[in-house]
Amino acid sequence: AMAAFVPLFGASLKGKDGDVETAAALEGKEAVGVYLVTLANAEFSAALMKACAEGLTEKGLAIVLLAHDENDEEAEATLQTFAESPFMALPVASKAEKEAVMAKFELEAAPALVLLDQEGEVLTSEGVAKVTEDPAGEGFPWKDVGPPTLTEEDILVRMGNMAPEPGESGFKGVFLNSKNYLPLGFVTDAEEKDDVPFSGFKLKPYIMINKEAALFEVKKMGFASDWDQHKKEIAAFPGPELLLLFDPERSYGEKIIMTITQEAFDRETARLEARREEIIAEFEAEQAGGAGGGEG
């Protein structure tokens, strides 16, 4: 907490019973709410105090008050309205800190409530609406869900089967023991699960393997290694990594195809990269369409 909050608020804040150390007072809180408030915001202030007393404080919400009245006298009066609450306040005299905090979190008019995590990152800037709609804090700390992202797994799911056409050069079918699918990264779960796209015998469209690691395994395990019968081709391959493609149709005799020439490796990685770029472009177009009301 020290790292995030002391630069924001200074070393100490005003607490119910006198000054408190900023770092200690805010440490470990689920959320730190910065509340920009004036005397005129009595209605929301009362709602916030009630919500905190009835559970939000217990759930880990700490409030730091920034009085935003016309003059110091009114600001002190505003803070006085919270005298019985566990809230802390930025001292009225700390004007530079207040301005910096307002600028940083774009707090323009009271009432405004922005919730921060322990890193000082914004969880939500819609605190007033959140507390009003959900005073019991069922959705607390109301972390804003950013725009949907495309994960590596999403890309591979969209890719689907990327096996090459039958009869192309530079490939060899290789048999892999299914217990090696997980350590190699062909699946993320050894047991097949409906909600895990790459699990059990549902393999990723492709993986890369490290040539040296494969040869080292042969040295260590001999014919018990899946790579033993392919060690000549692996050793002769010029690059540091080999590409393995999943081929459910077994066009090359096995479910896994390995690239054994640089030409095949380059050709296939270019094909995969082109498909990956298409998927990213499609996703970005979907997002733009969704956000922009789908013109075009």
Side-chain angles (χ1 to χ4, degrees), residues 11 17-18 39 76 99 124 140 173 219 231 233 255 263:
D17 304 312
L39 270 176
E76 294 290 0
E99 275 171 30
T124 178
F140 177 79
K219 217 155 107 186
K231 61 190 172 202
E233 289 96 341
K255 277 201 303 191
E263 187 271 330

Side-chain angles (χ1 to χ4, degrees), residues 54-175:
E54 288 175 3
L56 288 182
T57 301
E58 208 174 310
K59 288 188 177 197
L61 175 61
I63 297 286
V64 176
L65 302 163
L66 268 58
H68 191 47
D69 299 87
E70 294 294 316
N71 57 55
D72 289 1
E73 206 177 334
E74 282 179 21
E76 294 290 0
T78 296
L79 296 184
Q80 199 50 44
T81 60
F82 297 95
E84 292 310 305
S85 76
F87 300 175
M88 287 155 274
L90 192 69
V92 172
S94 303
K95 295 199 169 39
E97 282 87 348
K98 182 184 137 189
E99 275 171 30
V101 170
M102 286 179 66
K104 183 175 166 82
F105 300 114
E106 298 174 11
L107 304 174
E108 279 156 21
L113 176 61
V114 56
L115 269 60
L116 311 176
D117 66 15
Q118 279 294 311
E119 305 301 315
E121 298 292 325
V122 174
L123 289 163
T124 178
S125 47
E126 302 293 320
V128 173
K130 302 291 186 191
V131 173
T132 306
E133 290 158 16
D134 178 22
E138 281 169 29
F140 177 79
W142 306 297
K143 189 170 167 47
D144 285 336
V145 180
T149 54
L150 190 63
T151 63
E152 178 61 17
E153 185 173 81
D154 297 335
I155 292 174
L156 295 174
V157 167
R158 288 182 182 219
M159 243 182 209
N161 182 4
M162 290 298 288
E165 295 296 314
E168 292 194 29
S169 63
F171 291 130
K172 182 180 188 186
V174 297
F175 170 78

